[in-house]
Amino acid sequence: MKIIKDYGLWLIKGGCILALLVLVAPLFQTEPKSNAPFDQVLQATIEGVDMSKYPQKDVLALKRYLDLDASMFEQIAFYRSDNAMDADELVLAKFNTEEAKKSFLDAIQKRIESQTTTYEGYAPEQYDLMKKGKLISHANYGLYVVGPQAEQIASQFEKSL
């Protein structure tokens, strides 16, 4: 009888330890960083895309439209339609710190909310584009894209990493 009790206690203890490991292990897993160079990721992301809708903007535009400081990032590229009535935007960023990643995600989320609210009342096509836009982040890369080719761009970005 004593052997069965001892065995039962060990079984319960082992089960508890196993359950604890299953619950805690994901907290220690980190997303692997991509070693792909920024220029290579950018080229693969926009391959076959009509970039006439996305003229490249400078760091001043990045600050103006997204309230992001380019110096926080290892590298960043910003493309936006010249037409203020269009929602078309594309941002690719390579993060060098968790703070940069958080800043990027917060600023983009704020931009999405602002643009969605702006277009909701008077530009249904642009509102639909905003709803279909993509915000993707990985350990050291982030992408935000709105436009008719958002799905293709997001897919190519994922493959490039």
Side-chain angles (χ1 to χ4, degrees):
M1 269 315 215
K2 178 138 170 78
I3 294 174
I4 293 175
K5 277 187 180 179
D6 288 345
Y7 181 72
L9 285 174
W10 279 104
L11 194 59
I12 291 171
K13 288 179 184 178
C16 288
I17 290 171
L18 183 62
L20 183 62
L21 287 174
V22 167
L23 293 173
V24 174
L27 298 175
F28 295 103
Q29 292 178 342
T30 58
E31 204 173 12
K33 290 187 175 189
S34 172
N35 292 325
F38 182 83
D39 292 336
Q40 180 181 323
V41 173
L42 178 60
Q43 289 307 312
T45 299
I46 62 174
E47 185 177 333
V49 174
D50 177 11
M51 290 303 288
S52 65
K53 288 194 159 279
Y54 303 99
Q56 188 165 13
K57 302 299 178 187
D58 61 12
V59 294
L60 294 175
L62 183 69
K63 182 72 173 163
R64 176 180 171 212
Y65 291 106
L66 304 174
D67 197 27
L68 286 173
D69 180 4
S71 67
M72 285 189 72
F73 302 94
E74 189 171 320
Q75 287 186 282
I76 190 163
F78 178 42
Y79 303 84
R80 183 183 192 295
S81 174
D82 287 330
N83 184 347
M85 298 297 290
D86 289 342
D88 301 328
E89 292 181 320
L90 187 153
V91 182
L92 177 66
K94 186 172 185 181
F95 314 122
N96 47 5
T97 65
E98 280 297 315
E99 181 184 348
K101 181 177 181 177
K102 183 180 179 339
S103 176
F104 175 81
L105 293 173
D106 290 347
I108 297 300
Q109 195 58 49
K110 195 171 162 184
R111 177 69 173 173
I112 291 169
E113 290 167 10
S114 169
Q115 290 292 86
T116 303
T117 301
T118 299
Y119 291 123
E120 185 174 21
Y122 72 92
E125 302 86 19
Q126 301 308 309
Y127 177 77
D128 287 342
L129 286 176
M130 288 302 303
K131 287 296 191 182
K132 294 175 185 173
K134 303 289 181 188
L135 174 58
I136 303 168
S137 75
H138 287 280
N140 61 329
Y141 273 98
L143 173 76
Y144 165 61
V145 61
V146 175
Q149 296 175 305
E151 192 71 41
Q152 174 189 352
I153 292 169
S155 174
Q156 290 176 178
F157 168 71
E158 294 277 1
K159 290 175 188 172
S160 73
L161 300 177

